[in-house]
């Protein structure tokens, strides 16, 4: 059934971005990160497109995401890294998913499940090198490493990786970057002295992949950049293409007199007789209410600004005297290579003082994903 709005996802662009990131990383193997439903693009189609572009690993935040990939027949190595108490660790072990370990309690849970199943679990020890979020604190890193080494000697785990995450790699030159790299090297030395031989050591996210060759190690993680959005403000990556285009047909148009208040609270008034176009997307679909009188879109061949309050299901655009009709498409953001002058998710992020990750991941479930390209 046709739908008035959709998020069009260009899988060929996604595959091309993966290839480009692999080249930018100098051939270092690439992990395609597909958490949060592939950053809102659709986890399974995104995973397949990334693999087609050369990604040899996939990354997810939660076990249920990794299990969904396995159920879909995806066999490449998968790392999942947020494991609250009560998660199906045993299912992940049976599905051959690498488990990110950020504390002793998680390691003990993994070992217990390994014993119960009679199967060696694959774990990747995460060092907190200064982000102070997930990861093993440096004060207890040695103890966790020693415990992991004993568990590996006993056949309960295979320490397949040691890794970390940057706090400010999207701000090139920030002093925390060098500090975290130093702590990561120290963490690797501790693991080496304990006799661990991880298959992969990794710390580079999208920003570090693009700007820090010294952070590549054995694997780089292509997150938001895989989807064609650069995490670094005012940094250009030639050839990187936005993957998602958010567009909707106009539901109706109407002429109103000068001085007409528009939408809730009359936060916009027409300054002349004008045509108003109604776009049936709202904050329930991921268009931020903060885009009131700020969000920009391409409609009728021109870039225009949302007029008045963004509602749950709709917003209005003042198109003046232009001949815009119901049924025409309004494009909120997309790929300028396909549609010259179209705003990008990065443009929306800048207008709303946020990051492009939030713009694409918040596109709601009412908006169907329409896939183009791919195999």
């Amino acid at each position: 059934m046709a739908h008035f709005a959709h998020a069009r996802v260009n899988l060929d662009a996604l595959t091309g971005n993966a290839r480009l990131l692999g080249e930018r990383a100098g051939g270092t193997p690439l992990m395609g990160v597909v958490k949060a439903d592939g950053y809102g693009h659709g986890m399974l189609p995104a995973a397949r497109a990334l693999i087609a572009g050369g990604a040899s690993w996939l990354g997810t935040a939660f076990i249920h995401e990794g299990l969904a990939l396995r159920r879909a027949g995806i066999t490449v190595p998968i790392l999942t890294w947020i494991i609250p108490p009560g998660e199906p660790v045993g299912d992940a072990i049976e599905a051959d998913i690498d488990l990110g370990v950020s504390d002793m309690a998680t390691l003990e849970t993994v070992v217990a499940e390994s014993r119960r199943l009679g199967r060696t679990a694959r774990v990747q020890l995460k060092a907190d090198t200064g982000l102070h979020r997930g990861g093993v604190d440096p004060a207890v890193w040695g103890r966790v490493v020693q415990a992991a080494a004993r568990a590996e000697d006993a056949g309960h785990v295979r320490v397949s990786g040691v890794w970390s995450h940057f706090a400010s790699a999207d701000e090139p030159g920030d002093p925390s970057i060098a500090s975290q790299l130093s702590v990561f090297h120290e963490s690797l030395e501790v693991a080496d002295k304990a006799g661990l031989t991880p298959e992969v050591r990794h710390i580079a996210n999208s920003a570090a992949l693009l700007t820090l060759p010294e952070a590549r190690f054995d694997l780089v993680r292509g997150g938001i950049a895989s989807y064609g959005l650069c995490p670094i403000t005012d940094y250009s990556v030639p050839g990187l293409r936005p993957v998602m285009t958010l567009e909707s047909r106009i539901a109706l148009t109407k002429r109103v007199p000068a001085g007409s208040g528009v939408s809730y609270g009359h936060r916009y008034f027409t300054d002349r007789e004008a045509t108003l176009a109604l776009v049936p997307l709202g904050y329930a679909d991921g268009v931020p209410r903060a885009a009131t009188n700020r969000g920009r879109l391409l409609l009728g061949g021109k870039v225009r600004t949302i007029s008045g309050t963004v509602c749950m299901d709709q917003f209005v655009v003042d198109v003046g005297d232009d001949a815009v009709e119901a049924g025409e498409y309004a494009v909120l953001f997309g790929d300028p290579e396909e549609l010259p002058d179209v705003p990008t998710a990065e443009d929306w992020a800048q207008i709303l003082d946020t990051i492009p990750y939030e713009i694409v991941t918040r596109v709601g479930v009412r908006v169907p994903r329409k896939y183009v390209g791919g195999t």
Side-chain angles (χ1 to χ4, degrees):
M1 180 178 69
H3 202 273
F4 57 84
H6 58 256
R8 180 161 47 86
V9 177
N10 186 337
L11 296 176
D12 289 339
L14 184 51
T15 294
N17 291 341
R19 290 197 183 105
L20 177 63
L21 294 176
E23 293 168 3
R24 287 291 296 257
T28 304
L30 174 71
M31 173 187 287
V33 182
V34 293
K35 63 179 181 175
D37 196 30
Y39 287 62
H41 295 69
M43 182 175 69
L44 295 179
R48 295 186 178 107
L50 288 165
I51 292 169
S56 55
W57 282 77
L58 294 175
T60 72
F62 298 105
I63 287 175
H64 69 84
E65 296 170 320
L67 293 174
L69 293 170
R70 287 287 188 250
R71 286 194 297 269
I74 291 173
T75 59
V76 301
I78 296 169
L79 170 64
T80 188
W81 50 74
I82 302 178
I83 308 174
E87 285 293 278
V89 169
D91 292 347
I93 294 171
E94 292 186 312
D96 201 29
I97 293 171
D98 285 36
L99 295 161
V101 169
S102 287
D103 63 359
M104 187 70 81
T106 301
L107 178 62
E108 291 170 349
T109 297
V110 173
V111 169
E113 285 296 284
S114 168
R115 287 173 172 157
R116 181 180 68 83
L117 295 169
R119 179 167 180 163
T120 301
R122 289 175 58 89
V123 301
Q124 296 203 22
L125 304 180
K126 184 178 184 182
D128 183 355
T129 55
L131 180 58
H132 299 141
R133 197 177 62 177
V136 179
D137 187 88
V140 296
W141 174 253
R143 293 202 295 275
V144 173
V145 165
Q146 289 291 341
R150 291 193 296 271
E152 187 169 78
D153 289 343
H156 301 311
V157 305
R158 162 68 178 128
V159 180
S160 57
V162 174
W163 67 295
S164 190
H165 195 60
F166 282 113
S168 303
D170 56 343
E171 301 175 26
D174 188 276
S176 68
I177 296 170
S179 173
Q180 286 195 254
L181 270 174
S182 177
V183 175
F184 189 55
H185 279 288
E186 293 169 2
S187 301
L188 292 173
E189 290 175 7
V190 171
D192 181 65
K193 289 178 181 177
L196 298 180
T197 56
E199 300 162 18
V200 288
R201 304 161 300 158
H202 52 107
I203 190 173
N205 53 5
S206 288
L209 180 165
L210 293 168
T211 62
L212 293 170
E214 65 271 30
R216 289 172 184 162
F217 293 92
D218 308 306
L219 186 68
V220 292
R221 304 190 300 270
I224 195 66
S226 298
Y227 302 93
L229 302 171
C230 185
I232 305 171
T233 303
D234 298 326
Y235 186 87
S236 176
V237 184
L240 199 68
R241 295 184 58 189
V243 174
M244 181 188 289
T245 298
L246 180 61
E247 53 193 0
S248 172
R249 293 187 184 275
I250 300 301
L252 62 85
T253 62
K254 64 173 65 176
R255 292 291 286 181
V256 299
S260 295
V262 177
S263 193
Y264 287 134
H266 285 178
R267 297 167 72 184
Y268 177 88
F269 287 87
T270 58
D271 60 5
R272 68 214 178 291
E273 184 181 3
T275 296
L276 302 179
L278 182 69
V279 180
L281 286 172
Y283 56 77
D285 306 297
V287 181
R289 197 169 186 272
T292 294
N293 290 332
R294 299 167 70 191
R296 306 187 76 195
L297 63 154
L298 185 66
L299 173 59
K302 294 182 180 179
V303 177
R304 308 176 193 270
T305 303
I306 292 173
S307 306
T309 302
V310 175
C311 308
M312 184 180 293
D313 314 296
Q314 57 199 300
F315 63 83
V316 177
V317 182
D318 180 346
V319 300
D321 294 322
D322 291 342
V324 172
E325 301 290 340
E328 291 185 42
Y329 270 110
V331 185
L332 281 71
F333 58 80
D335 180 0
E337 189 169 314
E338 290 184 357
L339 290 170
D341 300 323
V342 71
T344 64
E346 290 161 327
D347 293 330
W348 272 71
Q350 185 173 17
I351 289 168
L352 298 174
D353 192 26
T354 185
I355 54 177
Y357 307 61
E358 182 177 0
I359 301 302
V360 292
T361 58
R362 70 184 297 157
V363 175
V365 295
R366 290 199 306 188
V367 181
R369 272 54 173 174
K370 178 181 178 181
Y371 296 98
V372 297
T375 56

